[in-house]
Amino acid sequence: SGCGTTPTIVTRKAALVIFAPLCAALRATRAVLCALKSLGHRMPAPVRRQSGGASWPEPPLLNAWISKAQSARALLQLHAQHGERMDAMHLGNLWNKLGRHLKWQTASGEMGDSLAGLAAATQSQLEAHGCHRPDILANIAHGAAQAMGADATAARGLFDAIARAAADACAKPRCEPRHLANLAWAFATASQPQPALFDRIAAASAPLLGGSFNAQEIGMLAWAFARPERRDAEHISMSPHISPYHEAQMRSPALCVSRLALEEARVRR
């Protein structure tokens, strides 16, 4: 029986000799990872330093601050502090969040002035550097239409700059149905007549109306083209699946949305 137990004892001792250092290494690695994780929570925000002592956040960090801002005032404060460092991506994110916070509210006084300053700064950014990303342009337009409300008509320069950039962006493969719908809705909501842009949106939307748009996007697109200033059936009839509407029907956005959505649903069957 003694001969039978010796190999087992030897095997266990060998396993301990082999695996003990490995277990110790794993415990040490775990301790290091935990320490790094704990240190990460206390690390200062990464900044890029400039000679003279001035500093500013790196672009990804600035974008994260915009995304996490809890109010319209906080967003406008970020722009006041770091606006010179914001590119089109930052401004698209900023306008998108502002639109959600200020949805159909009237901004007056200091906030109204800050919005006007942001609109002017965004216009300057687009005119100086342009923008070829339809998602960013749609975010700026949609957010500005919501955030500025009735004052959006006063931001004609901003919407002109968006329209010039979006005219080319609409034709790019990266331009999705939601971007087209948001652009059309924003310009119609802000009462910004841009015939050339709507022509581009119509041309880009026509091949996609067979099923690429969801119901909400179809509704936004139809409502935008059915606005009183756009009662031209040639734009509404952007697909062979959708017959032109009568002038009386085009005066009713709700009826236009319903007809277009129902027709789209029928085509999808």
Side-chain angles (χ1 to χ4, degrees):
S1 59
C3 294
T5 57
T6 302
T8 303
I9 295 174
V10 172
T11 303
R12 289 176 180 174
K13 288 182 178 180
L16 288 174
V17 171
I18 294 172
F19 290 107
L22 179 60
C23 292
L26 289 174
R27 284 194 296 269
T29 303
R30 182 180 178 183
V32 171
L33 291 176
C34 290
L36 289 175
K37 183 177 180 181
S38 176
L39 180 63
H41 290 297
R42 300 192 299 270
M43 288 179 66
V47 294
R48 181 184 300 161
R49 300 207 171 271
Q50 186 183 25
S51 58
S55 62
W56 58 86
E58 294 281 359
L61 179 63
L62 181 54
N63 209 39
W65 286 353
I66 294 172
S67 298
K68 294 178 180 179
Q70 298 297 310
S71 67
R73 194 169 300 278
L75 287 164
L76 292 171
Q77 185 64 29
L78 277 173
H79 182 259
Q81 293 175 345
H82 305 289
E84 293 182 359
R85 309 298 175 190
M86 291 185 180
D87 57 17
M89 180 187 68
H90 295 119
L91 293 170
N93 191 12
L94 186 65
W95 277 112
N96 185 37
K97 301 301 182 298
L98 272 175
R100 297 180 185 180
H101 284 293
L102 292 176
K103 204 171 188 178
W104 316 130
Q105 298 181 21
T106 301
S108 58
E110 182 181 349
M111 185 169 291
D113 293 340
S114 296
L115 276 174
L118 175 59
T122 306
Q123 176 184 345
S124 298
Q125 169 72 26
L126 293 177
E127 289 175 345
H129 304 287
C131 180
H132 302 290
R133 287 184 52 178
D135 56 333
I136 291 176
L137 294 169
N139 280 342
I140 295 174
H142 193 275
Q146 285 188 312
M148 303 193 73
D151 293 333
T153 53
R156 179 67 181 267
L158 170 60
F159 282 93
D160 284 347
I162 298 171
R164 285 191 291 271
D168 292 330
C170 285
K172 294 186 177 298
R174 294 179 62 182
C175 190
E176 302 174 9
R178 60 193 174 97
H179 305 144
L180 296 167
N182 280 328
L183 281 168
W185 181 92
F187 275 82
T189 298
S191 299
Q192 299 288 336
Q194 293 286 346
L197 176 61
F198 274 83
D199 288 343
R200 294 293 184 93
I201 293 175
S205 300
L208 306 176
L209 281 173
S212 297
F213 286 88
N214 62 33
Q216 181 182 9
E217 293 159 354
I218 280 287
M220 293 169 68
L221 197 66
W223 180 83
F225 278 92
R227 293 282 288 176
E229 62 270 21
R230 300 214 53 79
R231 288 199 300 270
D232 44 346
E234 60 181 335
H235 288 92
I236 295 296
S237 182
M238 293 180 293
S239 166
H241 303 297
I242 302 172
S243 58
Y245 296 109
H246 297 298
E247 184 177 353
Q249 291 173 326
M250 286 187 284
R251 289 198 183 100
S252 172
L255 179 58
C256 188
V257 168
S258 300
R259 288 284 301 277
L260 192 54
L262 287 172
E263 182 66 17
E264 179 74 7
R266 184 189 67 79
V267 170
R268 292 183 184 184
R269 294 195 192 100

